[in-house]
Amino acid sequence: MFLTRLRDALTEADVVDDPQIIESYRADHAPGVPAGMPRAVVFPRSAEQVAAVLRAAVAERVPVVPRGAGSGLAGGANAVDGCVVVVMDRMDEIVRIDPLDGVAVVQPGVRNTALREAAAEHGLWYAPDPASRDFCSIGGNVATNAGGLCCVKYGVTRDSVLALQVVLADGSITRLGRRSIKGVAGYDLTGLFVGSEGTLGIITEVTVRLRPLPPPAITVVASMPGLTAAATAVQSCLTTMTPSLLELLDRRTIRAVEEWKGLGLDTSAAALLLAQTDLPGEAGEAEARRLEQTFTEHGALEVYRSETAEEAELLLGARRFAFPALERLGRVYLEDIAIPRGRLADLLAAVERIADRTGAIVGTFGHAGDGNMHPTIVAPWDAPEAGTAATAAFHAIMDAALDLGGTITGEHGVGLLKRHGLAGELDDTARRLHLQIKQTLDPYGLLNPGKALPSMP
Amino acid sequence: MFLTRLRDALTEADVVDDPQIIESYRADHAPGVPAGMPRAVVFPRSAEQVAAVLRAAVAERVPVVPRGAGSGLAGGANAVDGCVVVVMDRMDEIVRIDPLDGVAVVQPGVRNTALREAAAEHGLWYAPDPASRDFCSIGGNVATNAGGLCCVKYGVTRDSVLALQVVLADGSITRLGRRSIKGVAGYDLTGLFVGSEGTLGIITEVTVRLRPLPPPAITVVASMPGLTAAATAVQSCLTTMTPSLLELLDRRTIRAVEEWKGLGLDTSAAALLLAQTDLPGEAGEAEARRLEQTFTEHGALEVYRSETAEEAELLLGARRFAFPALERLGRVYLEDIAIPRGRLADLLAAVERIADRTGAIVGTFGHAGDGNMHPTIVAPWDAPEAGTAATAAFHAIMDAALDLGGTITGEHGVGLLKRHGLAGELDDTARRLHLQIKQTLDPYGLLNPGKALPSMP
Ligand SMILES: Cc1cc2nc3c(=O)[nH]c(=O)nc-3n(C[C@H](O)[C@H](O)[C@H](O)COP(=O)(O)OP(=O)(O)OC[C@H]3O[C@@H](n4cnc5c(N)ncnc54)[C@H](O)[C@@H]3O)c2cc1C
Ligand SMILES: Cc1cc2nc3c(=O)[nH]c(=O)nc-3n(C[C@H](O)[C@H](O)[C@H](O)COP(=O)(O)OP(=O)(O)OC[C@H]3O[C@@H](n4cnc5c(N)ncnc54)[C@H](O)[C@@H]3O)c2cc1C
């Protein structure tokens, strides 16, 4: 009956119940998070088709799991038993790029990189750049409020989203926000949907702002003698400059990358700092010099500055390989905590203490300039008992971030992975507020049930 | 009984029912918007006292009107009959400035300028700069999501707010957001409260991000031969640069300022463009040259660039006097529409047509770089019948902004002034959503009733 309704609303080929195909839509990229068994996977091609799916789901009380490209790291797109997975992949049209307005309108299935490339043809730039940009969707980016490498200067996805078309739980279609940069008529419901991880509605169109393409960046790399020296160098940079990128890799991460890729990194360093400036011309040169100088003042063992745009990009390789390099070493538990900018040294010290205490192997890298770090716990394949230490460390690191005034997740989202951590972050009233809003927008609790939200206080 | 409860919860001196004192807390700065008669005005000194006021209000179903400094331009802080006005003035402490975290924590009654000055002592900058900065409160800025002159590069208030303490309608106190720059745990309830105009809760503490103080700006001024030339010059700037300020004054505004202040402005020009760049050193010089060049290419009659920081600030005088200069000419109806950036020429033309058609006198100025303009309709004191033309023009300009894909209010908020305009901006489902959220958070509808929200579709 449910399937019949779906097949009536969508074309035959866009409704799938073949268990073999379904299998590949059960889980996202989060390792070790449970995934249920969907009864169907659908690939709508319009907001109206999404609305029809939701109306059918409400009529028969079928849970609905929205899914973009499935690159999520929190289990947010993981199926729950008996659900319909709504894959937004086939709504992948770039509806319009308007260079004069500095605006693009896209369907949610468009890949981040596809939007960037289309904007670049007009000399424009879509700033948000998650490391997964080649294989994640704009809809998923909006639903998770994805971050990336450029946030330290250009903000997160939320800062680029002007308007959304959304299908609500009851199948009604609405437009939120506007095409102007500014606007304060009504509540910021666009912002409410950004980062809502598929629990409030399904995003069917996204209007984003584009910026002028920045000038080619200069990359500055420094190997640092200690984590504290690295963290205080980051601090110093931020009080006087706004670099366009400011990343850190710790020793274990450097070694994992070096072992795998042989880039010639200094494996004796305690940390590698990677910074970029994209100021134009002489100002860029000057900022690069100040970055070098700041790193040197904080005891850098070696400082290097890129000479060409290609080299600038090449030097980022170490950062781009960080996570896959650690993944090679075993089963990984990827953290995504964020702390106030000034507490980076404290956080890095806390992570070291936690690793010592639990016996977990932790490699840490991430967006140092935003205080958003990815301590990555590795449980070697040949040490099955390492899982216990890893789990203990995973929780302890979240607690440490909260103790420092931070958050359990800076960009990946809560999904299934971090639901229990919410109780430590949100006070009772805030938790109640979340559940009231969810209840108001999704009275039957069908949208992505069991994800992203705290339990009742 | 209600007053007794208030006097029990607050000190005697912080509860006022003297009609003469009450009189000065009945209305904000919006001309011609109705204001009711409060039964009391209270000046709480802590979140707990605010909570006590709200509990008393709920118990006796007394409407509550939150009020900052009363500088609002939409009647948002206007009293309703029988309400208690909650003035946040006496919660005016800068709780903490943390230079390492780049964060300030303030009570809502702190003046915008006071926060700026306190931050500057640490070499830091609170970006949002409404023209009212000397006499508006941070709480009011947050509640209206205030804009200003620097938004074109640095965003609106929302972009600087990290966390809030809020007292909800039932008197419960909660903390939303966090001290880290990034964070995606839970819904963006901080963002939901920013711009909610006192209808969802009372803001009792605000955590904002601070930035490094930008280098001294260079101002470039150009007098333009036509509105379309001015608008296309603005366009050209934005496709390749991000100036830190980009404002426009039309001929009527130039003349009003010149008549009053005699600054030596070119009163034959159709428009004056004011731009700033705050890039450091040579990059700033280069950007200033490109601004000059762009204005020249679009037919500027005259272009001038400031030589010193003092002169740069002085040249902004023309812009800062714009509204008061028009106010001298009669009763004013201040618009605050915003349109997609590329539609500025269309908007300016539409405003001229509307003025012609209705016979209204309109002077237009505003944040051209954001497409957020303030067409100001002047009904001369000696022409009482001009009010009808003014009202017609006021509505027609909102419609024109909506037709161009924009909004009825870019920064001042809806308040009482623009409630009827919401029906044109929000679709039925979006209006229903607004009312559902309001109902959930404020079931008795006591917080700022009759303001900011659309009516039921
Ligand atoms: C190697 C790697 C690197 C990564 N780097 C980063 C990074 O730098 N920064 C970062 O933030 N993330 C990063 N991620 C995580 C992930 O790519 C992002 O979370 C991304 O935004 C997910 O997009 P997606 O299309 O894959 O969404 P999915 O994984 O399919 O879904 C993510 C969540 O969004 C919901 N959702 C998806 N589409 C919609 C829609 N149209 N409407 C409503 N809800 C929807 C889902 O229900 C789910 O809760 C990385 C992942 C990998 C594997
Ligand atoms: C000459 C002049 C120039 C101006 N220039 C600008 C400008 O450039 N940009 C701009 O955006 N605005 C401008 N304004 C408008 C006004 O200054 C802003 O809207 C400002 O943010 C209001 O702050 P306030 O403290 O005066 O708030 P109020 O006027 O007291 O209140 C405004 C709204 O916020 C609510 N509110 C206030 N405090 C709280 C609180 N603590 N908790 C919950 N709700 C609260 C009120 O209920 C009301 O709805 C200008 C006004 C004037 C008179």
Side-chain angles (χ1 to χ4, degrees):
Chain A
M1 172 59 185
F2 181 64
L3 275 176
T4 318
R5 276 190 81 144
L6 295 180
R7 293 210 168 94
D8 284 351
L10 281 62
T11 65
E12 194 83 11
D14 293 336
V15 179
V16 171
D17 61 350
D18 172 344
Q20 259 187 312
I21 301 179
I22 282 187
E23 195 55 35
S24 51
Y25 292 97
R26 285 183 59 200
D28 66 11
H29 268 57
V33 177
M37 182 52 74
R39 73 175 72 183
V41 176
V42 297
F43 301 84
R45 291 178 187 267
S46 68
E48 288 67 30
Q49 289 192 348
V50 172
V53 172
L54 286 174
R55 281 195 303 269
V58 170
E60 312 208 12
R61 305 287 190 271
V62 174
V64 175
V65 175
R67 183 184 176 97
S71 76
L73 289 168
N78 281 19
V80 301
D81 283 331
C83 76
V84 53
V85 176
V86 182
V87 185
M88 303 305 288
D89 244 1
R90 295 183 190 169
M91 289 180 67
D92 63 349
E93 199 191 324
I94 295 180
V95 180
R96 189 173 56 247
I97 293 193
D98 191 329
L100 282 187
D101 288 349
V103 155
V105 180
V106 301
Q107 289 188 323
V110 168
R111 291 289 179 275
N112 181 296
T113 296
L115 171 54
R116 305 170 76 78
E117 288 171 356
E121 283 176 27
H122 300 271
L124 293 171
W125 187 48
Y126 177 63
D129 62 342
S132 51
R133 59 198 193 185
D134 291 342
F135 51 90
C136 64
S137 75
I138 296 295
N141 292 171
V142 173
T144 57
N145 191 13
L149 301 182
C150 75
C151 305
V152 64
K153 182 160 181 178
Y154 296 101
V156 292
T157 299
R158 202 287 154 253
D159 302 307
S160 285
V161 176
L162 296 177
L164 297 175
Q165 185 193 55
V166 174
V167 182
L168 301 179
D170 64 1
S172 53
I173 303 175
T174 183
R175 289 194 172 273
L176 307 172
R178 49 195 68 79
R179 276 178 59 216
S180 57
I181 298 289
K182 288 168 80 177
V184 294
Y187 298 143
D188 182 8
L189 298 185
T190 306
L192 183 65
F193 276 85
V194 174
S196 63
E197 300 190 43
T199 64
L200 295 179
I202 298 189
I203 296 154
T204 48
E205 195 179 272
V206 182
T207 302
V208 296
R209 67 183 289 183
L210 304 173
R211 301 166 192 265
L213 262 179
I218 302 172
T219 303
V220 176
V221 182
S223 51
M224 304 298 295
L227 286 177
T228 303
T232 50
V234 166
Q235 279 323 303
S236 288
C237 294
L238 293 172
T239 45
T240 56
M241 296 174 253
T242 307
S244 55
L245 178 148
L246 190 44
E247 301 280 318
L248 180 152
L249 278 65
D250 76 352
R251 176 179 284 135
R252 193 176 303 273
T253 312
I254 298 170
R255 290 186 176 170
V257 172
E258 190 54 29
E259 240 165 60
W260 184 29
K261 293 287 175 180
L263 303 177
L265 305 176
D266 177 355
T267 52
S268 73
L272 198 69
L273 290 175
L274 291 153
Q276 283 193 338
T277 169
D278 64 358
L279 288 178
E282 175 47 37
E285 295 291 335
E287 193 163 82
R289 279 194 301 275
R290 280 164 70 206
L291 287 165
E292 288 184 305
Q293 207 178 325
T294 308
F295 296 154
T296 305
E297 281 164 17
H298 286 84
L301 305 171
E302 210 183 325
V303 182
Y304 183 78
R305 185 195 335 174
S306 64
E307 301 289 341
T308 63
E310 294 69 46
E311 200 194 357
E313 191 51 34
L314 255 180
L315 289 176
L316 281 193
R319 170 62 180 85
R320 297 209 190 277
F321 293 134
F323 182 54
L326 290 167
E327 264 186 316
R328 291 173 67 243
L329 307 182
R331 180 190 173 95
V332 293
Y333 299 70
L334 176 63
E335 266 295 359
D336 168 41
I337 40 86
I339 39 97
R341 232 160 56 173
R343 312 308 295 271
L344 184 58
D346 297 334
L347 176 80
L348 296 174
V351 170
E352 290 216 310
R353 277 198 307 276
I354 290 166
D356 283 348
R357 197 182 70 220
T358 58
I361 301 173
V362 188
T364 298
F365 63 94
H367 316 298
D370 294 310
N372 178 202
M373 299 301 291
H374 300 307
T376 304
I377 306 158
V378 182
W381 300 117
D382 55 8
E385 74 292 353
T388 316
T391 311
F394 192 77
H395 289 94
I397 292 172
M398 282 197 267
D399 290 342
L402 292 176
D403 285 345
L404 293 168
T407 174
I408 58 170
T409 172
E411 58 179 20
H412 295 164
V414 171
L416 281 174
L417 189 65
K418 297 204 160 174
R419 273 199 65 194
H420 55 276
L422 282 177
E425 180 151 349
L426 305 174
D427 64 34
D428 284 1
T429 302
R431 280 149 75 196
R432 188 161 46 76
L433 256 183
H434 276 85
L435 297 173
Q436 284 175 332
I437 288 175
K438 167 72 172 174
Q439 166 76 20
T440 302
L441 271 81
D442 180 18
Y444 300 113
L446 298 178
L447 279 166
N448 223 358
K451 313 281 180 65
L453 288 165
S455 46
M456 200 61 189
Chain B
M1 174 57 185
F2 180 63
L3 276 176
T4 318
R5 277 190 81 144
L6 295 180
R7 293 211 169 92
D8 285 350
L10 280 63
T11 65
E12 194 83 8
D14 294 336
V15 179
V16 171
D17 61 350
D18 172 343
Q20 258 187 313
I21 302 179
I22 283 187
E23 196 55 36
S24 51
Y25 291 98
R26 286 182 60 200
D28 66 11
H29 267 59
V33 176
M37 183 51 75
R39 74 175 69 183
V41 176
V42 296
F43 300 84
R45 292 177 188 268
S46 68
E48 288 66 31
Q49 289 191 348
V50 172
V53 172
L54 285 174
R55 280 194 304 269
V58 170
E60 312 209 12
R61 304 288 191 270
V62 174
V64 175
V65 175
R67 182 183 177 99
S71 76
L73 289 167
N78 281 19
V80 301
D81 283 331
C83 76
V84 53
V85 176
V86 182
V87 185
M88 302 305 288
D89 245 1
R90 296 184 190 169
M91 289 181 65
D92 64 349
E93 199 192 324
I94 295 180
V95 180
R96 189 172 55 247
I97 293 194
D98 190 329
L100 283 187
D101 287 350
V103 156
V105 180
V106 301
Q107 289 188 323
V110 169
R111 291 289 179 276
N112 180 297
T113 296
L115 171 55
R116 306 169 76 77
E117 288 171 356
E121 282 175 29
H122 300 271
L124 292 171
W125 188 48
Y126 176 63
D129 62 342
S132 51
R133 59 197 193 186
D134 291 341
F135 51 90
C136 64
S137 75
I138 296 295
N141 292 171
V142 172
T144 57
N145 192 14
L149 302 181
C150 74
C151 304
V152 63
K153 182 161 181 178
Y154 296 101
V156 291
T157 299
R158 201 286 154 256
D159 301 306
S160 285
V161 176
L162 296 177
L164 297 175
Q165 184 192 54
V166 175
V167 182
L168 300 179
D170 64 1
S172 53
I173 303 175
T174 183
R175 291 195 170 272
L176 307 171
R178 49 195 69 79
R179 274 178 60 215
S180 56
I181 298 288
K182 289 169 79 177
V184 295
Y187 298 142
D188 182 8
L189 298 186
T190 306
L192 183 65
F193 276 85
V194 175
S196 63
E197 300 190 42
T199 64
L200 295 179
I202 298 189
I203 296 154
T204 47
E205 196 180 271
V206 182
T207 302
V208 297
R209 67 183 290 184
L210 304 173
R211 300 166 193 267
L213 261 180
I218 302 172
T219 304
V220 176
V221 182
S223 51
M224 304 297 295
L227 285 177
T228 303
T232 50
V234 166
Q235 279 322 304
S236 289
C237 293
L238 294 171
T239 45
T240 57
M241 295 173 254
T242 306
S244 55
L245 179 148
L246 190 44
E247 301 281 318
L248 180 152
L249 279 66
D250 75 352
R251 176 179 283 135
R252 193 176 303 273
T253 311
I254 299 170
R255 291 186 176 172
V257 172
E258 190 53 28
E259 241 165 60
W260 183 31
K261 292 287 173 180
L263 303 177
L265 305 176
D266 177 356
T267 52
S268 72
L272 198 68
L273 290 176
L274 291 153
Q276 283 192 338
T277 169
D278 64 358
L279 287 178
E282 173 49 35
E285 296 290 333
E287 193 163 81
R289 280 194 301 274
R290 280 163 71 206
L291 287 165
E292 288 184 305
Q293 206 178 326
T294 309
F295 296 154
T296 304
E297 281 163 16
H298 286 83
L301 305 170
E302 211 183 323
V303 182
Y304 184 77
R305 185 194 336 173
S306 64
E307 301 289 340
T308 63
E310 295 70 44
E311 201 194 358
E313 192 51 34
L314 254 180
L315 289 175
L316 280 194
R319 171 62 181 85
R320 298 209 190 275
F321 293 134
F323 182 53
L326 290 167
E327 264 186 317
R328 290 174 67 243
L329 307 181
R331 179 191 173 95
V332 293
Y333 299 70
L334 175 63
E335 266 295 359
D336 168 43
I337 40 86
I339 39 97
R341 231 160 56 175
R343 312 307 296 272
L344 184 59
D346 298 333
L347 177 80
L348 295 174
V351 170
E352 290 217 308
R353 277 198 308 275
I354 290 166
D356 283 349
R357 198 182 68 221
T358 58
I361 301 173
V362 187
T364 298
F365 63 94
H367 317 297
D370 294 310
N372 179 201
M373 299 302 289
H374 301 306
T376 304
I377 306 158
V378 182
W381 300 119
D382 56 6
E385 74 291 354
T388 317
T391 311
F394 192 78
H395 289 95
I397 292 172
M398 280 197 267
D399 289 343
L402 293 176
D403 284 346
L404 292 168
T407 174
I408 58 169
T409 172
E411 57 179 20
H412 295 163
V414 171
L416 281 174
L417 189 66
K418 296 204 161 175
R419 274 199 65 193
H420 54 277
L422 282 178
E425 180 152 350
L426 306 175
D427 65 33
D428 284 1
T429 302
R431 280 149 76 196
R432 188 162 46 76
L433 255 184
H434 275 83
L435 297 173
Q436 284 175 332
I437 288 175
K438 167 71 172 173
Q439 166 77 21
T440 302
L441 270 81
D442 179 19
Y444 299 114
L446 297 179
L447 280 167
N448 223 358
K451 314 280 181 64
L453 288 165
S455 47
M456 200 62 188

